[in-house]
Amino acid sequence: MKKIFAANWKLFKSPQETRSFLNSFKKVFSQATGEVVFFPPAISIEAASECLKGSGIHFGAQNCHAQVQGAFTGENSAQVLKELGGTYLLIGHSERRQIFSENDSMIGEKVALAQNLGLIPMLCIGETLEERESIHTFRILETQLALGLSKADPSKPLVVAYEPVWAIGTGKVATPEQVSETHTDVYNILQRLGFTAPILYGGSVKPDNASNLLAQSHVGGFLVGGASLEVESFIKIAST
Ligand code: PGA
């Protein structure tokens, strides 16, 4: 199956910076060995939509509200994303869970909404360092998947991104053994719940660790933060 290389830009890149990055990226995109998806900040999504038209490069939003419209000051609509040509929706990133108090039930609603609109939910799961050290990783991932997918349709497209919280933005990447073992667990949990989905790894992915990580069992690609902000480092990862 085609690998997926997704760029989570978080709160970086203005519309102008988005255009300039994507115009440069389009020149090297043919080197990519899988599908490429950009998640710009919400205010730069329209710029991405214009730039990427007809390019074969996908984009999506980092978050959205569980309803498509209403009195929800400060939120963004998945329906508007769809209208702009977006294909993916990142849901339940650990920063959303930790900083913005998103819980598994809200996340489950968003996954269902994305699927109902014909968007592909990219559901993020992952354990904290404390949870890993107390050997609770399996149980945490099982709960996040069971609740996050409680309203999802197994017949519709889905992507899961496993991102150990302790590896995000820390430079502390999971070892290939940890990735292989945990991705196998995630694969088995998904099977038991009746889902099949590519499982991306995320957390300090860099050009120099990408090929080793991609070779591990059940690694369907990457969700990349810091190293996706420069064309050179991101295309190196996407051409692994
Ligand atoms: P990182 O971020 O690659 O900078 O660790 C990954 C993410 O937050 O998705």
Side-chain angles (χ1 to χ4, degrees):
M1 199 195 270
K2 220 174 175 190
K3 303 286 182 194
I4 299 172
F5 301 100
N8 175 14
W9 283 354
K10 311 193 180 191
L11 197 47
F12 296 101
K13 296 201 189 292
S14 66
Q16 196 183 332
E17 289 164 339
T18 297
R19 275 186 217 103
S20 140
F21 180 107
L22 294 177
N23 284 331
S24 308
F25 187 83
K26 282 194 285 188
K27 294 183 189 136
V28 294
F29 171 53
S30 61
Q31 295 169 35
T33 51
E35 187 166 307
V36 171
V37 190
F38 287 96
F39 292 105
I43 212 157
S44 297
I45 287 178
E46 194 173 0
S49 159
E50 285 164 8
C51 261
L52 296 179
K53 215 166 271 169
S55 67
I57 303 171
H58 295 257
F59 67 93
Q62 298 168 13
N63 176 43
C64 74
H65 191 67
Q67 295 194 36
V68 293
Q69 63 178 14
F72 305 111
T73 304
E75 289 294 306
N76 288 294
S77 169
Q79 191 176 315
V80 174
L81 171 70
K82 174 86 184 167
E83 284 165 14
L84 287 171
T87 43
Y88 282 87
L89 185 60
L90 201 60
I91 299 173
H93 187 277
S94 71
E95 284 150 20
R96 297 297 315 169
R97 294 176 188 260
Q98 294 195 322
I99 308 170
F100 302 100
S101 308
E102 284 197 17
N103 59 39
D104 286 311
S105 108
M106 292 158 81
I107 289 163
E109 298 284 340
K110 295 182 188 194
V111 170
L113 171 74
Q115 286 192 328
N116 289 338
L117 289 170
L119 293 164
I120 305 171
M122 192 177 282
L123 171 63
C124 302
I125 57 167
E127 81 289 356
T128 62
L129 188 57
E130 206 178 23
E131 287 159 350
R132 180 162 279 270
E133 282 171 349
S134 55
I135 331 182
H136 283 146
T137 301
F138 186 89
R139 195 168 50 77
I140 295 294
L141 300 179
E142 196 175 33
T143 305
Q144 289 176 341
L145 285 170
L147 298 177
L149 297 174
S150 59
K151 295 186 172 164
D153 180 346
S155 71
K156 291 187 174 159
L158 166 77
V159 174
V160 169
Y162 166 62
E163 299 199 296
V165 178
W166 47 271
I168 296 177
T170 56
K172 219 173 165 187
V173 67
T175 64
E177 294 71 31
Q178 284 170 326
V179 169
S180 164
E181 186 185 279
T182 317
H183 276 241
T184 303
D185 284 346
V186 171
Y187 175 83
N188 289 330
I189 298 168
L190 282 170
Q191 285 250 302
R192 221 173 46 235
L193 294 171
F195 290 86
T196 37
I199 306 163
L200 314 190
Y201 169 78
S204 297
V205 175
K206 303 279 181 271
D208 59 357
N209 57 29
S211 69
N212 206 355
L213 293 170
L214 201 61
Q216 303 309 311
S217 27
H218 302 296
V219 176
F222 297 126
L223 179 56
V224 187
S228 74
L229 294 170
E230 300 294 335
V231 172
E232 203 185 324
S233 52
F234 188 54
I235 192 61
K236 273 190 191 150
I237 293 171
S239 56
T240 304

mmCIF file with all atom_site columns, all heavy atoms in Angstrom, residues 147-168:
data_model
loop_
_atom_site.group_PDB
_atom_site.id
_atom_site.type_symbol
_atom_site.label_atom_id
_atom_site.label_alt_id
_atom_site.label_comp_id
_atom_site.label_asym_id
_atom_site.label_entity_id
_atom_site.label_seq_id
_atom_site.pdbx_PDB_ins_code
_atom_site.Cartn_x
_atom_site.Cartn_y
_atom_site.Cartn_z
_atom_site.occupancy
_atom_site.B_iso_or_equiv
_atom_site.pdbx_formal_charge
_atom_site.auth_seq_id
_atom_site.auth_comp_id
_atom_site.auth_asym_id
_atom_site.auth_atom_id
_atom_site.pdbx_PDB_model_num
ATOM 1   N N   . LEU A 1 147 ? -12.812 4.456  21.850 1.00 0.00 ? 147 LEU A N   1
ATOM 2   C CA  . LEU A 1 147 ? -13.695 5.623  21.992 1.00 0.00 ? 147 LEU A CA  1
ATOM 3   C C   . LEU A 1 147 ? -13.627 6.528  20.768 1.00 0.00 ? 147 LEU A C   1
ATOM 4   O O   . LEU A 1 147 ? -14.646 7.034  20.303 1.00 0.00 ? 147 LEU A O   1
ATOM 5   C CB  . LEU A 1 147 ? -13.358 6.406  23.267 1.00 0.00 ? 147 LEU A CB  1
ATOM 6   C CG  . LEU A 1 147 ? -13.534 5.615  24.575 1.00 0.00 ? 147 LEU A CG  1
ATOM 7   C CD1 . LEU A 1 147 ? -13.106 6.460  25.776 1.00 0.00 ? 147 LEU A CD1 1
ATOM 8   C CD2 . LEU A 1 147 ? -14.975 5.162  24.753 1.00 0.00 ? 147 LEU A CD2 1
ATOM 9   N N   . GLY A 1 148 ? -12.431 6.712  20.247 1.00 0.00 ? 148 GLY A N   1
ATOM 10  C CA  . GLY A 1 148 ? -12.276 7.575  19.070 1.00 0.00 ? 148 GLY A CA  1
ATOM 11  C C   . GLY A 1 148 ? -13.008 7.019  17.854 1.00 0.00 ? 148 GLY A C   1
ATOM 12  O O   . GLY A 1 148 ? -13.433 7.758  16.968 1.00 0.00 ? 148 GLY A O   1
ATOM 13  N N   . LEU A 1 149 ? -13.152 5.693  17.808 1.00 0.00 ? 149 LEU A N   1
ATOM 14  C CA  . LEU A 1 149 ? -13.796 5.064  16.642 1.00 0.00 ? 149 LEU A CA  1
ATOM 15  C C   . LEU A 1 149 ? -15.212 4.571  16.949 1.00 0.00 ? 149 LEU A C   1
ATOM 16  O O   . LEU A 1 149 ? -15.817 3.868  16.136 1.00 0.00 ? 149 LEU A O   1
ATOM 17  C CB  . LEU A 1 149 ? -12.936 3.887  16.152 1.00 0.00 ? 149 LEU A CB  1
ATOM 18  C CG  . LEU A 1 149 ? -11.544 4.285  15.648 1.00 0.00 ? 149 LEU A CG  1
ATOM 19  C CD1 . LEU A 1 149 ? -10.716 3.047  15.314 1.00 0.00 ? 149 LEU A CD1 1
ATOM 20  C CD2 . LEU A 1 149 ? -11.660 5.193  14.420 1.00 0.00 ? 149 LEU A CD2 1
ATOM 21  N N   . SER A 1 150 ? -15.731 4.961  18.135 1.00 0.00 ? 150 SER A N   1
ATOM 22  C CA  . SER A 1 150 ? -17.025 4.406  18.561 1.00 0.00 ? 150 SER A CA  1
ATOM 23  C C   . SER A 1 150 ? -18.155 4.756  17.600 1.00 0.00 ? 150 SER A C   1
ATOM 24  O O   . SER A 1 150 ? -19.133 4.031  17.505 1.00 0.00 ? 150 SER A O   1
ATOM 25  C CB  . SER A 1 150 ? -17.362 4.849  19.978 1.00 0.00 ? 150 SER A CB  1
ATOM 26  O OG  . SER A 1 150 ? -17.416 6.259  20.005 1.00 0.00 ? 150 SER A OG  1
ATOM 27  N N   . LYS A 1 151 ? -18.044 5.870  16.887 1.00 0.00 ? 151 LYS A N   1
ATOM 28  C CA  . LYS A 1 151 ? -19.115 6.236  15.941 1.00 0.00 ? 151 LYS A CA  1
ATOM 29  C C   . LYS A 1 151 ? -18.635 6.180  14.493 1.00 0.00 ? 151 LYS A C   1
ATOM 30  O O   . LYS A 1 151 ? -19.288 6.699  13.596 1.00 0.00 ? 151 LYS A O   1
ATOM 31  C CB  . LYS A 1 151 ? -19.611 7.639  16.261 1.00 0.00 ? 151 LYS A CB  1
ATOM 32  C CG  . LYS A 1 151 ? -20.269 7.711  17.633 1.00 0.00 ? 151 LYS A CG  1
ATOM 33  C CD  . LYS A 1 151 ? -20.881 9.043  17.917 1.00 0.00 ? 151 LYS A CD  1
ATOM 34  C CE  . LYS A 1 151 ? -21.679 8.939  19.213 1.00 0.00 ? 151 LYS A CE  1
ATOM 35  N NZ  . LYS A 1 151 ? -21.992 10.242 19.769 1.00 0.00 ? 151 LYS A NZ  1
ATOM 36  N N   . ALA A 1 152 ? -17.470 5.581  14.285 1.00 0.00 ? 152 ALA A N   1
ATOM 37  C CA  . ALA A 1 152 ? -16.888 5.562  12.940 1.00 0.00 ? 152 ALA A CA  1
ATOM 38  C C   . ALA A 1 152 ? -17.438 4.392  12.132 1.00 0.00 ? 152 ALA A C   1
ATOM 39  O O   . ALA A 1 152 ? -17.922 3.411  12.688 1.00 0.00 ? 152 ALA A O   1
ATOM 40  C CB  . ALA A 1 152 ? -15.373 5.457  13.036 1.00 0.00 ? 152 ALA A CB  1
ATOM 41  N N   . ASP A 1 153 ? -17.337 4.532  10.820 1.00 0.00 ? 153 ASP A N   1
ATOM 42  C CA  . ASP A 1 153 ? -17.833 3.512  9.898  1.00 0.00 ? 153 ASP A CA  1
ATOM 43  C C   . ASP A 1 153 ? -16.638 2.746  9.320  1.00 0.00 ? 153 ASP A C   1
ATOM 44  O O   . ASP A 1 153 ? -15.834 3.317  8.590  1.00 0.00 ? 153 ASP A O   1
ATOM 45  C CB  . ASP A 1 153 ? -18.611 4.230  8.780  1.00 0.00 ? 153 ASP A CB  1
ATOM 46  C CG  . ASP A 1 153 ? -19.183 3.272  7.744  1.00 0.00 ? 153 ASP A CG  1
ATOM 47  O OD1 . ASP A 1 153 ? -18.778 2.086  7.727  1.00 0.00 ? 153 ASP A OD1 1
ATOM 48  O OD2 . ASP A 1 153 ? -20.042 3.720  6.965  1.00 0.00 ? 153 ASP A OD2 1
ATOM 49  N N   . PRO A 1 154 ? -16.525 1.446  9.653  1.00 0.00 ? 154 PRO A N   1
ATOM 50  C CA  . PRO A 1 154 ? -15.367 0.665  9.184  1.00 0.00 ? 154 PRO A CA  1
ATOM 51  C C   . PRO A 1 154 ? -15.266 0.581  7.662  1.00 0.00 ? 154 PRO A C   1
ATOM 52  O O   . PRO A 1 154 ? -14.204 0.266  7.136  1.00 0.00 ? 154 PRO A O   1
ATOM 53  C CB  . PRO A 1 154 ? -15.598 -0.725 9.770  1.00 0.00 ? 154 PRO A CB  1
ATOM 54  C CG  . PRO A 1 154 ? -16.648 -0.568 10.791 1.00 0.00 ? 154 PRO A CG  1
ATOM 55  C CD  . PRO A 1 154 ? -17.461 0.632  10.433 1.00 0.00 ? 154 PRO A CD  1
ATOM 56  N N   . SER A 1 155 ? -16.370 0.862  6.964  1.00 0.00 ? 155 SER A N   1
ATOM 57  C CA  . SER A 1 155 ? -16.309 0.750  5.498  1.00 0.00 ? 155 SER A CA  1
ATOM 58  C C   . SER A 1 155 ? -15.784 2.038  4.858  1.00 0.00 ? 155 SER A C   1
ATOM 59  O O   . SER A 1 155 ? -15.555 2.090  3.657  1.00 0.00 ? 155 SER A O   1
ATOM 60  C CB  . SER A 1 155 ? -17.690 0.406  4.937  1.00 0.00 ? 155 SER A CB  1
ATOM 61  O OG  . SER A 1 155 ? -18.547 1.524  5.071  1.00 0.00 ? 155 SER A OG  1
ATOM 62  N N   . LYS A 1 156 ? -15.596 3.097  5.666  1.00 0.00 ? 156 LYS A N   1
ATOM 63  C CA  . LYS A 1 156 ? -15.109 4.365  5.111  1.00 0.00 ? 156 LYS A CA  1
ATOM 64  C C   . LYS A 1 156 ? -13.626 4.556  5.426  1.00 0.00 ? 156 LYS A C   1
ATOM 65  O O   . LYS A 1 156 ? -13.137 4.024  6.423  1.00 0.00 ? 156 LYS A O   1
ATOM 66  C CB  . LYS A 1 156 ? -15.927 5.522  5.673  1.00 0.00 ? 156 LYS A CB  1
ATOM 67  C CG  . LYS A 1 156 ? -17.356 5.513  5.147  1.00 0.00 ? 156 LYS A CG  1
ATOM 68  C CD  . LYS A 1 156 ? -18.114 6.738  5.558  1.00 0.00 ? 156 LYS A CD  1
ATOM 69  C CE  . LYS A 1 156 ? -19.480 6.748  4.869  1.00 0.00 ? 156 LYS A CE  1
ATOM 70  N NZ  . LYS A 1 156 ? -20.431 7.615  5.575  1.00 0.00 ? 156 LYS A NZ  1
ATOM 71  N N   . PRO A 1 157 ? -12.910 5.345  4.602  1.00 0.00 ? 157 PRO A N   1
ATOM 72  C CA  . PRO A 1 157 ? -11.475 5.514  4.824  1.00 0.00 ? 157 PRO A CA  1
ATOM 73  C C   . PRO A 1 157 ? -11.138 6.123  6.194  1.00 0.00 ? 157 PRO A C   1
ATOM 74  O O   . PRO A 1 157 ? -11.883 6.955  6.716  1.00 0.00 ? 157 PRO A O   1
ATOM 75  C CB  . PRO A 1 157 ? -11.045 6.471  3.703  1.00 0.00 ? 157 PRO A CB  1
ATOM 76  C CG  . PRO A 1 157 ? -12.109 6.408  2.678  1.00 0.00 ? 157 PRO A CG  1
ATOM 77  C CD  . PRO A 1 157 ? -13.378 6.059  3.393  1.00 0.00 ? 157 PRO A CD  1
ATOM 78  N N   . LEU A 1 158 ? -10.013 5.662  6.726  1.00 0.00 ? 158 LEU A N   1
ATOM 79  C CA  . LEU A 1 158 ? -9.537  6.098  8.034  1.00 0.00 ? 158 LEU A CA  1
ATOM 80  C C   . LEU A 1 158 ? -8.014  5.967  8.034  1.00 0.00 ? 158 LEU A C   1
ATOM 81  O O   . LEU A 1 158 ? -7.476  5.026  7.445  1.00 0.00 ? 158 LEU A O   1
ATOM 82  C CB  . LEU A 1 158 ? -10.126 5.169  9.114  1.00 0.00 ? 158 LEU A CB  1
ATOM 83  C CG  . LEU A 1 158 ? -9.507  5.238  10.509 1.00 0.00 ? 158 LEU A CG  1
ATOM 84  C CD1 . LEU A 1 158 ? -10.003 6.483  11.244 1.00 0.00 ? 158 LEU A CD1 1
ATOM 85  C CD2 . LEU A 1 158 ? -9.863  3.989  11.327 1.00 0.00 ? 158 LEU A CD2 1
ATOM 86  N N   . VAL A 1 159 ? -7.342  6.908  8.690  1.00 0.00 ? 159 VAL A N   1
ATOM 87  C CA  . VAL A 1 159 ? -5.897  6.787  8.925  1.00 0.00 ? 159 VAL A CA  1
ATOM 88  C C   . VAL A 1 159 ? -5.679  6.987  10.419 1.00 0.00 ? 159 VAL A C   1
ATOM 89  O O   . VAL A 1 159 ? -6.341  7.818  11.042 1.00 0.00 ? 159 VAL A O   1
ATOM 90  C CB  . VAL A 1 159 ? -5.095  7.843  8.107  1.00 0.00 ? 159 VAL A CB  1
ATOM 91  C CG1 . VAL A 1 159 ? -3.613  7.808  8.459  1.00 0.00 ? 159 VAL A CG1 1
ATOM 92  C CG2 . VAL A 1 159 ? -5.282  7.624  6.610  1.00 0.00 ? 159 VAL A CG2 1
ATOM 93  N N   . VAL A 1 160 ? -4.766  6.206  10.998 1.00 0.00 ? 160 VAL A N   1
ATOM 94  C CA  . VAL A 1 160 ? -4.420  6.372  12.413 1.00 0.00 ? 160 VAL A CA  1
ATOM 95  C C   . VAL A 1 160 ? -2.974  6.848  12.485 1.00 0.00 ? 160 VAL A C   1
ATOM 96  O O   . VAL A 1 160 ? -2.130  6.383  11.711 1.00 0.00 ? 160 VAL A O   1
ATOM 97  C CB  . VAL A 1 160 ? -4.608  5.041  13.178 1.00 0.00 ? 160 VAL A CB  1
ATOM 98  C CG1 . VAL A 1 160 ? -4.017  5.114  14.580 1.00 0.00 ? 160 VAL A CG1 1
ATOM 99  C CG2 . VAL A 1 160 ? -6.097  4.671  13.253 1.00 0.00 ? 160 VAL A CG2 1
ATOM 100 N N   . ALA A 1 161 ? -2.706  7.817  13.363 1.00 0.00 ? 161 ALA A N   1
ATOM 101 C CA  . ALA A 1 161 ? -1.314  8.253  13.565 1.00 0.00 ? 161 ALA A CA  1
ATOM 102 C C   . ALA A 1 161 ? -0.937  7.947  15.008 1.00 0.00 ? 161 ALA A C   1
ATOM 103 O O   . ALA A 1 161 ? -1.539  8.494  15.938 1.00 0.00 ? 161 ALA A O   1
ATOM 104 C CB  . ALA A 1 161 ? -1.165  9.742  13.272 1.00 0.00 ? 161 ALA A CB  1
ATOM 105 N N   . TYR A 1 162 ? 0.022   7.033  15.179 1.00 0.00 ? 162 TYR A N   1
ATOM 106 C CA  . TYR A 1 162 ? 0.526   6.743  16.522 1.00 0.00 ? 162 TYR A CA  1
ATOM 107 C C   . TYR A 1 162 ? 1.671   7.693  16.821 1.00 0.00 ? 162 TYR A C   1
ATOM 108 O O   . TYR A 1 162 ? 2.697   7.679  16.125 1.00 0.00 ? 162 TYR A O   1
ATOM 109 C CB  . TYR A 1 162 ? 1.005   5.287  16.630 1.00 0.00 ? 162 TYR A CB  1
ATOM 110 C CG  . TYR A 1 162 ? 1.820   5.075  17.880 1.00 0.00 ? 162 TYR A CG  1
ATOM 111 C CD1 . TYR A 1 162 ? 1.246   5.261  19.146 1.00 0.00 ? 162 TYR A CD1 1
ATOM 112 C CD2 . TYR A 1 162 ? 3.180   4.762  17.823 1.00 0.00 ? 162 TYR A CD2 1
ATOM 113 C CE1 . TYR A 1 162 ? 2.003   5.129  20.295 1.00 0.00 ? 162 TYR A CE1 1
ATOM 114 C CE2 . TYR A 1 162 ? 3.938   4.618  18.971 1.00 0.00 ? 162 TYR A CE2 1
ATOM 115 C CZ  . TYR A 1 162 ? 3.343   4.815  20.206 1.00 0.00 ? 162 TYR A CZ  1
ATOM 116 O OH  . TYR A 1 162 ? 4.088   4.703  21.347 1.00 0.00 ? 162 TYR A OH  1
ATOM 117 N N   . GLU A 1 163 ? 1.484   8.539  17.835 1.00 0.00 ? 163 GLU A N   1
ATOM 118 C CA  . GLU A 1 163 ? 2.510   9.509  18.208 1.00 0.00 ? 163 GLU A CA  1
ATOM 119 C C   . GLU A 1 163 ? 2.733   9.458  19.720 1.00 0.00 ? 163 GLU A C   1
ATOM 120 O O   . GLU A 1 163 ? 1.922   10.011 20.484 1.00 0.00 ? 163 GLU A O   1
ATOM 121 C CB  . GLU A 1 163 ? 2.070   10.926 17.829 1.00 0.00 ? 163 GLU A CB  1
ATOM 122 C CG  . GLU A 1 163 ? 1.827   11.128 16.365 1.00 0.00 ? 163 GLU A CG  1
ATOM 123 C CD  . GLU A 1 163 ? 1.849   12.609 16.000 1.00 0.00 ? 163 GLU A CD  1
ATOM 124 O OE1 . GLU A 1 163 ? 0.988   13.361 16.485 1.00 0.00 ? 163 GLU A OE1 1
ATOM 125 O OE2 . GLU A 1 163 ? 2.759   13.009 15.262 1.00 0.00 ? 163 GLU A OE2 1
ATOM 126 N N   . PRO A 1 164 ? 3.804   8.794  20.168 1.00 0.00 ? 164 PRO A N   1
ATOM 127 C CA  . PRO A 1 164 ? 4.070   8.809  21.600 1.00 0.00 ? 164 PRO A CA  1
ATOM 128 C C   . PRO A 1 164 ? 4.285   10.263 22.047 1.00 0.00 ? 164 PRO A C   1
ATOM 129 O O   . PRO A 1 164 ? 5.092   10.977 21.447 1.00 0.00 ? 164 PRO A O   1
ATOM 130 C CB  . PRO A 1 164 ? 5.344   7.974  21.753 1.00 0.00 ? 164 PRO A CB  1
ATOM 131 C CG  . PRO A 1 164 ? 5.889   7.771  20.383 1.00 0.00 ? 164 PRO A CG  1
ATOM 132 C CD  . PRO A 1 164 ? 4.814   8.078  19.392 1.00 0.00 ? 164 PRO A CD  1
ATOM 133 N N   . VAL A 1 165 ? 3.545   10.691 23.045 1.00 0.00 ? 165 VAL A N   1
ATOM 134 C CA  . VAL A 1 165 ? 3.565   12.108 23.443 1.00 0.00 ? 165 VAL A CA  1
ATOM 135 C C   . VAL A 1 165 ? 4.984   12.561 23.807 1.00 0.00 ? 165 VAL A C   1
ATOM 136 O O   . VAL A 1 165 ? 5.396   13.676 23.496 1.00 0.00 ? 165 VAL A O   1
ATOM 137 C CB  . VAL A 1 165 ? 2.582   12.339 24.626 1.00 0.00 ? 165 VAL A CB  1
ATOM 138 C CG1 . VAL A 1 165 ? 2.609   13.787 25.089 1.00 0.00 ? 165 VAL A CG1 1
ATOM 139 C CG2 . VAL A 1 165 ? 1.157   11.965 24.206 1.00 0.00 ? 165 VAL A CG2 1
ATOM 140 N N   . TRP A 1 166 ? 5.747   11.650 24.403 1.00 0.00 ? 166 TRP A N   1
ATOM 141 C CA  . TRP A 1 166 ? 7.110   11.974 24.844 1.00 0.00 ? 166 TRP A CA  1
ATOM 142 C C   . TRP A 1 166 ? 8.087   12.147 23.681 1.00 0.00 ? 166 TRP A C   1
ATOM 143 O O   . TRP A 1 166 ? 9.211   12.610 23.871 1.00 0.00 ? 166 TRP A O   1
ATOM 144 C CB  . TRP A 1 166 ? 7.623   10.901 25.824 1.00 0.00 ? 166 TRP A CB  1
ATOM 145 C CG  . TRP A 1 166 ? 7.375   9.486  25.344 1.00 0.00 ? 166 TRP A CG  1
ATOM 146 C CD1 . TRP A 1 166 ? 6.252   8.747  25.580 1.00 0.00 ? 166 TRP A CD1 1
ATOM 147 C CD2 . TRP A 1 166 ? 8.225   8.675  24.537 1.00 0.00 ? 166 TRP A CD2 1
ATOM 148 N NE1 . TRP A 1 166 ? 6.365   7.520  24.956 1.00 0.00 ? 166 TRP A NE1 1
ATOM 149 C CE2 . TRP A 1 166 ? 7.563   7.448  24.322 1.00 0.00 ? 166 TRP A CE2 1
ATOM 150 C CE3 . TRP A 1 166 ? 9.503   8.865  23.977 1.00 0.00 ? 166 TRP A CE3 1
ATOM 151 C CZ2 . TRP A 1 166 ? 8.115   6.415  23.581 1.00 0.00 ? 166 TRP A CZ2 1
ATOM 152 C CZ3 . TRP A 1 166 ? 10.054  7.832  23.231 1.00 0.00 ? 166 TRP A CZ3 1
ATOM 153 C CH2 . TRP A 1 166 ? 9.365   6.631  23.045 1.00 0.00 ? 166 TRP A CH2 1
ATOM 154 N N   . ALA A 1 167 ? 7.645   11.796 22.481 1.00 0.00 ? 167 ALA A N   1
ATOM 155 C CA  . ALA A 1 167 ? 8.544   11.923 21.312 1.00 0.00 ? 167 ALA A CA  1
ATOM 156 C C   . ALA A 1 167 ? 8.199   13.138 20.459 1.00 0.00 ? 167 ALA A C   1
ATOM 157 O O   . ALA A 1 167 ? 8.903   13.443 19.507 1.00 0.00 ? 167 ALA A O   1
ATOM 158 C CB  . ALA A 1 167 ? 8.473   10.650 20.469 1.00 0.00 ? 167 ALA A CB  1
ATOM 159 N N   . ILE A 1 168 ? 7.089   13.833 20.788 1.00 0.00 ? 168 ILE A N   1
ATOM 160 C CA  . ILE A 1 168 ? 6.646   14.947 19.939 1.00 0.00 ? 168 ILE A CA  1
ATOM 161 C C   . ILE A 1 168 ? 7.411   16.222 20.266 1.00 0.00 ? 168 ILE A C   1
ATOM 162 O O   . ILE A 1 168 ? 7.344   16.724 21.396 1.00 0.00 ? 168 ILE A O   1
ATOM 163 C CB  . ILE A 1 168 ? 5.126   15.180 20.090 1.00 0.00 ? 168 ILE A CB  1
ATOM 164 C CG1 . ILE A 1 168 ? 4.368   13.955 19.577 1.00 0.00 ? 168 ILE A CG1 1
ATOM 165 C CG2 . ILE A 1 168 ? 4.690   16.435 19.339 1.00 0.00 ? 168 ILE A CG2 1
ATOM 166 C CD1 . ILE A 1 168 ? 2.867   14.038 19.727 1.00 0.00 ? 168 ILE A CD1 1
#
